[in-house]
Amino acid sequence: MRDRFTLYAKGGDGGSGCYSFRRSRHDRHGRPDGGNGERGGDVILECSPTVWDFSGLQNHTNAIKGCHGASKNRIGTRGEDKVLRIPISTVIHIVKGEI
C-alpha cells in the first residue's frame, strides 16, 4: 500500500496558429485567413471512493496537446483533459507551479 506519492503533472501545450493568405483572381495581394491554435488539456485530480491507495498512478503525467489552426479561418480543437482518480481525504501540497 502506498500512502505518500509525488506527482509531476503538466498541462497540454497549445496548438500553433496557421500562416495563410486567401488569394483570388480579383485580389492578388491576398487577405490573411489563418486560424488560431487551441488550448491544451488540463490535469484534473478527482476523488473516488473506489480507489484506496496510489498504486495505480504514475509519477509523471502530461495532458493532451491542442491541435493546430488551419487555413480558411479554421480554429484547432482543444486538447483532452487528463483525469486522475485519487482516494478520498487526500491532502495535496503544491510544491511548485499554479493551481
Side-chain angles (χ1 to χ4, degrees):
M1 179 172 171
R2 295 179 70 178
D3 60 351
R4 284 185 175 245
F5 189 73
T6 302
L7 176 69
Y8 300 97
K10 181 180 178 289
D13 295 327
S16 299
C18 178
Y19 181 77
S20 174
F21 285 94
R22 179 181 159 267
R23 299 182 190 271
S24 67
R25 185 180 341 164
H26 305 291
D27 189 11
R28 295 187 186 261
H29 298 292
R31 305 249 186 257
D33 74 338
N36 296 329
E38 191 58 54
R39 295 182 354 191
D42 298 326
V43 177
I44 299 171
L45 300 176
E46 180 180 289
C47 292
S48 174
T50 60
V51 178
W52 294 94
D53 61 353
F54 297 109
S55 61
L57 292 178
Q58 296 180 351
N59 287 352
H60 296 276
T61 302
N62 295 332
I64 309 275
K65 181 180 178 183
C67 291
H68 306 300
S71 60
K72 298 182 184 175
N73 289 327
R74 288 183 287 188
I75 299 173
T77 57
R78 188 176 188 285
E80 292 183 22
D81 295 335
K82 183 84 163 205
V83 179
L84 302 175
R85 302 201 192 291
I86 58 174
I88 295 176
S89 74
T90 300
V91 178
I92 299 173
H93 297 282
I94 298 177
V95 177
K96 181 179 173 185
E98 326 181 335
I99 296 177

